[in-house]
């Protein structure tokens, strides 16, 4: 924190390292808002603002924060979830930074805590057999502090990286499957790259594999660069995790052997630049006089003259080797040859340096353009993936609806067949009823005919009876 306030380029870096469920997130964040149980990040925020409140009124501070995570080797902005694959670029000092990440200015600890809470809600977490809230990504919370002395106009810059690494996992213990297994593979891969970087730095190797992962690339300046770095080693006390605890402690012992080169990142005023320029001019004049003496001595050696030790030029200029060859070899001494090479390099360096700088800038610009193009293509791919996923969901919904409609149609067909069978039975019954009705109708007609015949016979008998009754009185 003090380094960040003093204007160190990468300020300071604090990150927690350890296996899954060893307490890294609790160490870095804790119970936010609880004075007793809050973690490193909220405590540091309070310290920074307390320092600012204690400064003189002629010092002005500008503080901005950003919050992002490295998930599945992609940098995602936790303050703007639409930014899912941000590129890593380098500034003019060759310091890596995440291009396009959301930066917000803050003026109080409460605003910082609100941003932390907002970003934390967007972070990728999952449930495993080892941890109910297992972090599936490496999160980086960055504070950029600029302080300006309003009287001298001196500016100091500092950055503070607060990193919560995802824990290394053994699939045999977490029983991860599917997407959780893929996340574990990427986590272990990036942590392995971090271990390789630490090992290379501790062994003093010439090549440091920072580019093997996004995480080591982002933390390049913190690992062996211009920064003060603190690593919090989180270990499990359980015997069940003995091998992981040993590996974590070995990582910490290696990291302790790394020494960073720290310098103040200050923006000089015009007067300071003028004083530095005049100092370099004076140094250049002294070196020119020294070179002239060395050249004269060299000509005497080449002519075969002997130059006594008292007559030899004593090189005492800053940055120049003071040892001179005192032998009688007519060839230039090693120091003289080095000086001549320096002269030739200086004579040829103006044009070469300009060409080199232009070429380097063009290459950097080309890399930035490529990164921008890759970022645009990645954004396009992500958008197309989302559209494809939406289309798949729509297709799945249509298929589900079709299956539902097919099932309903099948039920309707079954009901129709059932109704048809019932109709057949009803029709058969109606046919039977119609047949019975015809038979009954025929019986009724026969009965009616029989009744009509009987009525006719009865009428005939009645008439016959009437006639007989009329004849009886006459007799």
């Amino acid at each position: 924190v003090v380094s960040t306030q003093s204007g160190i380029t990468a300020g300071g870096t604090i990150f927690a390292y350890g296996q899954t469920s060893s307490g890294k997130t609790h160490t870095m964040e804790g119970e936010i808002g609880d004075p007793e149980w809050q973690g490193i990040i909220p405590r540091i925020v309070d310290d920074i603002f307390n320092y600012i409140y204690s400064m003189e009124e002629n010092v002005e501070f500008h503080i901005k924060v950003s919050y992002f995570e490295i998930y599945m080797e992609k940098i995602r902005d936790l303050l703007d979830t639409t930014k899912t694959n941000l590129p890593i670029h380098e500034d003019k000092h060759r310091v890596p930074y995440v291009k396009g990440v959301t930066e917000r200015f803050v003026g109080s600890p409460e605003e910082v805590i609100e941003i932390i809470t907002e970003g934390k809600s967007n972070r990728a977490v999952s449930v495993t057999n080892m941890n109910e809230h297992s972090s599936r990504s490496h999160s980086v919370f960055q504070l950029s502090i600029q302080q300006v002395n309003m009287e001298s106009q001196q500016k100091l810059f500092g950055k503070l990286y607060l990193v919560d690494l995802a824990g290394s996992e053994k699939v045999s213990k977490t029983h991860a499957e599917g997407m959780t297994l893929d996340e574990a593979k990427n986590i272990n891969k990036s942590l392995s790259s971090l271990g390789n970087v630490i090992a290379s730095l501790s062994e003093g190797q010439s090549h440091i594999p920072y580019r093997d992962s996004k995480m080591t690339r982002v933390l390049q300046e913190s690992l062996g660069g211009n920064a003060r770095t603190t690593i919090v080693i989180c270990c499990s006390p359980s015997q069940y995790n003995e091998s992981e605890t040993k590996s974590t402690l070995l990582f910490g012992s290696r990291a302790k052997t790394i020494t960073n080169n720290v310098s103040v990142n200050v923006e000089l005023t015009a007067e300071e630049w003028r004083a530095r320029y005049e100092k370099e001019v004076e140094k250049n004049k002294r070196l020119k006089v020294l070179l002239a003496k060395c050249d004269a001595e060299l000509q005497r050696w080449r002519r075969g003259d002997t130059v006594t030790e008292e007559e030899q030029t004593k090189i005492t200029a800053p940055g120049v080797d003071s040892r001179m060859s005192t032998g009688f070899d007519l060839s230039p001494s090693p120091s003289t040859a080095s000086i001549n090479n320096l002269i030739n390099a200086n004579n040829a360096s103006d044009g070469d340096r300009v060409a080199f700088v232009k070429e380097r800038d063009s290459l950097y610009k080309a890399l930035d353009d490529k990164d921008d193009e890759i970022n645009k293509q990645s954004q396009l791919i992500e958008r197309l993936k989302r559209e494809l996923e939406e289309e798949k969901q729509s297709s799945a919904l249509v298929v589900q609806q079709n299956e539902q409609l097919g099932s309903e149609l099948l039920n309707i067909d079954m009901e129709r067949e059932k109704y048809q069978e019932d109709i057949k039975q009803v029709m058969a019954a109606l046919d039977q009823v119609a047949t019975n009705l015809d038979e009954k109708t025929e019986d009724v007609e026969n009965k009616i005919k029989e009744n009509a015949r009987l009525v006719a016979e009865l009428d005939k008998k009645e008439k016959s009876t009437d006639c007989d009754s009329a004849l009886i009185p006459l007799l």
Side-chain angles (χ1 to χ4, degrees), residues 222-275:
S222 304
L223 303 172
N226 183 20
R228 298 187 187 275
T229 303
T230 299
I231 302 177
V232 181
I233 298 298
C234 298
C235 300
S236 170
S238 173
Q239 188 176 1
Y240 179 68
N241 300 318
E242 180 182 358
S243 61
E244 291 88 343
T245 299
K246 289 181 179 179
S247 176
T248 302
L249 293 174
L250 180 60
F251 174 88
S253 63
R254 284 183 175 178
K256 285 184 67 175
T257 63
I258 301 173
T259 302
N260 288 1
N261 298 318
V262 180
S263 62
V264 177
N265 181 26
V266 58
E267 183 176 324
L268 301 179
T269 61
E271 291 77 10
E272 291 172 332
W273 277 116
R274 187 177 298 106

Side-chain angles (χ1 to χ4, degrees), residues 394-405:
S394 300
S395 300
L397 181 61
V398 170
V399 170
Q400 183 179 0
Q401 291 177 349
N402 288 338
E403 292 178 352
Q404 184 177 358
L405 291 175

Side-chain angles (χ1 to χ4, degrees), residues 161-180:
Y161 293 90
L162 303 173
V163 185
D164 178 21
L165 298 178
S168 59
E169 298 182 6
K170 280 189 175 181
V171 179
S172 60
K173 293 184 178 181
T174 60
H175 296 168
E177 296 179 352
M179 179 60 70
T180 306

